[in-house]
């Protein structure tokens, strides 16, 4: 099992919180696998722990939209049954990954957005909360400073259009200061099934209604026993345009080692669109890869030999 808790220039004073966050997520998820449970349960449990941890840009503590709200996206995919469940732009759910699980298990549909997604979750037993319960003062302050920079004409207050206007050479150095604390997990169980999940509050100061790569099938998340399981974090717009999760899993299906395909995917992201981010990738034979082109990525790995976490590869 692999997890990530975002890829960016994680500052020293946030390092320990990121390491413990991914460690706790691994512990919560991996115990399902050691008991013979499903990869899907393991991924859902790990992502839930990170949604509940305010360190990350998922669930409570997420970045705020330009109008000061938390708006969440999540996807869960079962590579054995080829089932997927996604939600986007939800504002009243504490754990969108659990709503994604309900969509996966209990709906003929695959993806719900906004109030429709919230009503679906409510009708299947989830509690609706007030959006303010998800908002931290730390994030109000972060939004205020981003909007001040934007008003002052500093272009890095939002990602919009950077890759198209400026090209790969200028985009990367200008955006690495931005935090990407999206969370994700991939797992392989003893039945040979793969699963993947990704959950996010999206990018800081995003326009309400904006959906990033994280919850879109094949972009920030994908799982198929015939290829691989993947979760990404980073600047969502370029990742979406390249359908990068599916791109990486297709390479594994074609015979590339996940270790190599993960690095190739991040190189492609940068060379093609000036994008930046990180990836975790797990094949059906247990071989895996991780890569990032940001200064750091919070990652965790659990195998029969124990748990490992780190901030750099
Ligand atoms: N990829 C996410 C998005 O664009 C953000 C992130 O990974 O931090 O919504």
């Amino acid at each position: 099992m692999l997890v990530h808790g975002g890829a960016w220039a994680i500052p020293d004073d946030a390092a320990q919180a990121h390491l413990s966050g991914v460690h706790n997520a691994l512990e919560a998820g991996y115990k399902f696998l050691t008991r013979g449970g499903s990869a899907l349960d393991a991924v859902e449990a790990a992502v839930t722990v990170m949604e509940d941890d305010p360190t990350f840009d998922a669930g409570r503590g997420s970045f705020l939209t330009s109008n000061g709200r938390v708006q969440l996206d999540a996807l869960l995919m079962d590579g054995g049954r080829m089932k997927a469940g996604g939600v986007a732009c939800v504002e009243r759910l504490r754990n969108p990954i659990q709503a994604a699980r309900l969509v996966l298990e209990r709906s003929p549909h695959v993806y719900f957005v906004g109030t429709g997604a919230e009503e679906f979750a409510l009708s299947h037993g989830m509690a609706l909360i007030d959006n303010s319960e998800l908002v931290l003062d730390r994030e109000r302050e972060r939004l205020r400073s981003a909007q001040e920079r934007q008003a002052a004409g500093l272009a890095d207050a939002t990602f919009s259009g950077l890759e198209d206007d400026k090209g790969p050479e200028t985009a990367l150095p200008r955006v690495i200061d931005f935090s990407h604390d999206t969370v994700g997990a991939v797992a392989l169980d003893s039945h040979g099934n793969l699963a993947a999940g990704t959950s996010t509050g999206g990018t800081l100061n995003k326009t309400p209604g904006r959906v990033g790569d994280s919850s879109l099938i094949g972009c920030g998340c994908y799982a198929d026993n015939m290829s691989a399981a993947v979760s990404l974090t980073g600047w969502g717009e370029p990742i979406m345009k390249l359908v990068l999760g599916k791109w990486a899993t297709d390479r594994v299906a074609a015979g590339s080692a996940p270790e190599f395909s993960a690095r190739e995917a991040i190189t492609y992201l940068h060379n093609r669109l000036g994008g930046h981010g990180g990836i975790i990738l797990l094949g059906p034979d247990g071989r895996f890869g991780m890569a990032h082109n940001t200064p750091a990525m919070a990652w965790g790995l659990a195998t029969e030999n124990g748990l490992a976490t780190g901030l750099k590869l």
Side-chain angles (χ1 to χ4, degrees), residues 57 179-182 200 202-203 210 212-214 233-236:
D57 177 31
S179 32
H180 289 292
D181 271 330
T182 291
T200 189
T203 46
R210 176 262 189 193
D213 62 302
S214 308
T233 176
W235 182 12

Side-chain angles (χ1 to χ4, degrees), residues 177-191:
D177 287 342
F178 276 89
S179 32
H180 289 292
D181 271 330
T182 291
V183 305
V186 293
L188 172 66
D189 63 32
S190 56
H191 313 285

Side-chain angles (χ1 to χ4, degrees), residues 162-201:
L162 268 183
E163 84 277 25
D164 295 324
D165 299 347
K166 304 293 178 191
E169 299 76 17
T170 54
L172 186 62
R174 289 175 61 195
V175 295
I176 55 173
D177 287 342
F178 276 89
S179 32
H180 289 292
D181 271 330
T182 291
V183 305
V186 293
L188 172 66
D189 63 32
S190 56
H191 313 285
N193 290 317
L194 286 168
T198 308
S199 181
T200 189

